[in-house]
Each structure stands twice: as C-alpha cells, then as structure tokens.
Amino acid sequence: MIFVTGGAGYIGSHTVVELLNAGHEVTVFDNFCNSQPEVLRRVARITGKQANLVQGDLRDSAALLAALRASGAKAVIHFAGLKAVGESVQNPLAYYDNNVVGTVRLLETMNECGIKTLVFSSSATVYGDPQRLPLSEDHPLSTTNPYGQTKLVIEEMLRDLYRSDPAWRIGILRYFNPVGAHVSGLIGEDPLGTPNNLLPFVAQVAVGRREFLNVWGDDYATADGTGVRDYIHVVDLALGHLKALERLAHHAECRAINLGTGVGYSVLDMLRAFEQASGKRVPYQVGPRRSGDIAACYADPSQALALLGWRAERDLASMCADAWRWQSGNPNGYAQAT
Ligand code: NAD
Ligand code: UFG
C-alpha cells in the first residue's frame, strides 16, 4: 500500500494510474485545493481499480494520522503542495505554510506511524540560474522565488532528517518540465484560470479558448532566441516514481535524482510540435521577457539511468499528441465532466 499526498493532482493522478497498474494498492490524501474528485473516477476507468480516497489537509495532523494509520501504507509519495511561482511571490506565507509546514506535519506523522520511506516532488527550480548545462545533481543549489525556496528548504530538511536517523529512505526527485497526458485522454493537466505554463497555454489556444500565445522574449542566447526547457512526458515522470520506490526498498539513503530527458526544446519548437500534433494553427506574439525566467535549463539524466534504471521513453510528438487528446476531448478540463 502506497500513501499518495496530492494524488488527485496532475502528476499525482498519472502516478496513481501507474501504481495501480503495477499492482500496488493506493490511498490518496488530497484537500482538492487544486484538483477535483472527478479525476479519481477517471483513474478508476483507466485502470479498472479503485484508489482509496481521504479528503484532508496535510496540516491537519489528526486527520493525517488517522488516514496514514488506517491505510497500512509502507511508503509515502509526497506530491501535495502549491506550485505557482508568481502567486508565491505575492503570498509567500501561504507557500511556506502549505509546502514547508505541511511537509513537517507529514514527516512527524510518518515517524509516529513508523513509516520511513518517502519519495518527494522537488524541482529543477532548486538549481536557480544554471551555471553550467546540462544540470547534474551536484550543481550548486539556489532559488529565485518563494516557491523554489520551499522546495529547497524541504530538501535540506529531508537531508537533516536522514542524518539524524539513517533508518529513513528518502528519494528526492527533481522534475524538469512535465507535460502531456495519459494516452487515454481521460486525465491531464487542468490548471485553474489562465495557465502559467507553456504547454497548457498553447493547448488552450489550439482549442480556441485563447486567441494567441505570448512568447516571453526572443532575445535569449539560445538557437532561436526563445527560452529552452527540458520537457518530460508526465507518464515517464510517473514511472520514475515507481523506480524510485523500488530502489528505496533496497537502499537506506537520502538522495536527489533528476527526472528529465536531457534534451532542451525552445518555445517555438514546442509551438510547432503542437501545431503538428493538433493540426491547428497556434498564433503567437512576441512579448518582453517574463521576470525571473532563465534562458535554458535541461537535465543530465544519467544518474536516473544508473541508479533507477529509468530513462524517459516518450518523445516530443507523443507529449504533444497526448496533451492534445486530453485538451480536445475535455476543452474545459474536468469542469464539464458528467
Ligand atoms: P497539482 O497542483 O496538480 O497537484 C498538487 C495536489 O496537491 C493537488 O491535487 C492539490 O489539491 C493537493 N494539495 C495541495 N496542498 C495540499 C494540502 N495542504 N493538503 C492536501 N492536499 C494538498 O500539481 P502537480 O503539477 O501535480 O505537482 C505535484 C508536485 O510536483 C508539487 O509538489 C509540485 O511543486 C511539484 N512539481 C511540479 C512541477 C510542474 O511543472 N507541474 C515541476 C516540478 C515540481
Ligand atoms: N513561456 C512563454 N509563454 C507562456 C508561458 C511560458 O513564452 O505563456 C515560456 C517561458 O518564458 C519559458 C518556457 O515557455 O521559456 C517554459 O515556461 P513554463 O512556465 O512552462 O516553465 P518554467 O520552466 O518557467 O517553470 C517550470 C515550473 C516551475 C519549475 C520550473 C523548473 O512552472 O514550477 O519549471 O522545474 F520551478
């Protein structure tokens, strides 16, 4: 049994599918602050299996303790958190409270239950503005906004916890840019309001919900001047979590591992690939740089291959085709679900 915080969210729901498909039992703990219960009905349709659901907030220690105890879990995958960079600048305390305090409560509760295996969702944002590319795990860590700071604080807290008690088994997964959707088109990314991230915005332009894409700057030192990122298919990312759990079954450690493809694509590469996958034109306008953005960011994924036996398998065409299947089949996300 695996206990999955934030299991109704974008990456969590895709991971729950892969866990159920692999024969694990799953308990999802989620407060639905950025997701909807409908996603778990879709997960059940895809897998033919049902995850247990507990609606609750990480910071509610009593609810968390009851749920974790009742689950009989042997390990926790911790996705729950707030993730909007701009919002974190506006309201940093909400981010420290939800992400950092929420994680402290989770770790205390796990300790109380004697569960010491954890996979944590970190981010390439902890590398700050890259000093060298590709980014390997030993690159210096720094952050440029409160969201990133919460990830770094949690990483440091996990390293301290492991130093204090080496019975812990902790996998810190540093995600690059997750995109795409399950191949069924039944689950995918469903951002509230105007998407901050590139692919959901492009998909909403293609489906006619928005007029054009704003390209945030074309004067970076990259091949076409637009920002370059390491986009990774969300199903590949999900499978990385299963590999991390397998490793932790045999290793008591606290280790950070990149999950990326090692390949960078520009904004215009992504736009063209999406046009190809969707058969739709995606009009765009070049605007000024977005504050806080970096020119390029991509992973050295060799540790994931060496230590987890994992590598990303799905290419850019399938990222876009799967994102389009989800977006065109669910133009308003889960909201219009019956
Ligand atoms: P998401 O918002 O879709 O999922 C997060 C889930 O956690 C949601 O279902 C939300 O309702 C739940 N949640 C949030 N706070 C909670 C709380 N206090 N108690 C209980 N549930 C709570 O986000 P996602 O894209 O699936 O991201 C999952 C994790 O991966 C996050 O920690 C995020 O910071 C990290 N991450 C995401 C990206 C990305 O680009 N999507 C990149 C790097 C890291
Ligand atoms: N972009 C646009 N127009 C848009 C949205 C994005 O041109 O409307 C560009 C950005 O300037 C950037 C690229 O597309 O060059 C990717 O932007 P995203 O917002 O999709 O992704 P980021 O790399 O900026 O940030 C993401 C997550 C962060 C995480 C970071 C590193 O949103 O939470 O990856 O993992 F910290």
Side-chain angles (χ1 to χ4, degrees), residues 10 32 34 85 125 136 142 176 192 196 211 220 264 278 289:
Y10 172 47
F32 297 113
N34 197 35
V85 172
T125 194
S136 51
S142 69
F176 282 70
L192 279 176
N196 293 310
E211 219 178 319
Y220 286 104
S278 63
R289 291 183 180 194

Side-chain angles (χ1 to χ4, degrees), residues 167-198:
W168 278 88
R169 294 160 185 256
I170 300 173
I172 295 171
L173 301 181
R174 294 183 181 148
Y175 310 156
F176 282 70
N177 289 55
V179 296
H182 190 265
V183 68
S184 63
L186 286 171
I187 59 173
E189 189 169 10
D190 184 19
L192 279 176
T194 309
N196 293 310
N197 295 117
L198 178 64

Side-chain angles (χ1 to χ4, degrees), residues 5-13 29-36 56-59 78-83 97-99 102 120-125 147 151 173-178 189-190 197 237:
T5 76
Y10 172 47
I11 305 168
S13 57
F29 186 86
D30 201 303
N31 66 0
F32 297 113
C33 69
N34 197 35
S35 55
Q36 304 190 36
D57 191 293
L58 275 184
R59 293 157 295 180
H78 178 31
F79 293 104
L82 302 177
K83 62 167 182 176
D97 185 40
N98 198 78
N99 295 5
F120 171 63
S121 301
S122 189
S123 164
T125 194
Y147 164 71
K151 291 293 173 191
L173 301 181
R174 294 183 181 148
Y175 310 156
F176 282 70
N177 289 55
E189 189 169 10
D190 184 19
N197 295 117
L237 192 68

Side-chain angles (χ1 to χ4, degrees), residues 82-85 122-126 145 147-148 151 174-179 189 194-202 212-217 220 226-231 265-268 270 285 287-290 292-297:
L82 302 177
K83 62 167 182 176
V85 172
S122 189
S123 164
T125 194
V126 300
N145 58 70
Y147 164 71
K151 291 293 173 191
R174 294 183 181 148
Y175 310 156
F176 282 70
N177 289 55
V179 296
E189 189 169 10
T194 309
N196 293 310
N197 295 117
L198 178 64
L199 244 263
F201 202 106
V202 167
F212 60 87
L213 171 74
N214 284 300
V215 175
W216 301 130
Y220 286 104
T226 66
V228 166
R229 297 290 185 275
D230 185 337
Y231 296 94
Y265 290 107
S266 73
V267 175
L268 296 180
M270 297 304 286
Q285 287 184 4
R289 291 183 180 194
R290 186 171 65 177
D293 268 1
I294 53 179
C297 171

Side-chain angles (χ1 to χ4, degrees), residues 257-312:
I257 300 183
N258 288 338
L259 293 184
T261 67
V263 180
Y265 290 107
S266 73
V267 175
L268 296 180
D269 290 336
M270 297 304 286
L271 185 141
R272 288 191 202 102
F274 204 89
E275 287 187 331
Q276 194 124 38
S278 63
K280 302 281 181 192
R281 268 201 63 243
V282 177
Y284 70 93
Q285 287 184 4
V286 176
R289 291 183 180 194
R290 186 171 65 177
S291 131
D293 268 1
I294 53 179
C297 171
Y298 48 92
D300 172 352
S302 57
Q303 288 288 331
L305 183 59
L307 300 174
L308 305 180
W310 173 94
R311 66 147 58 101

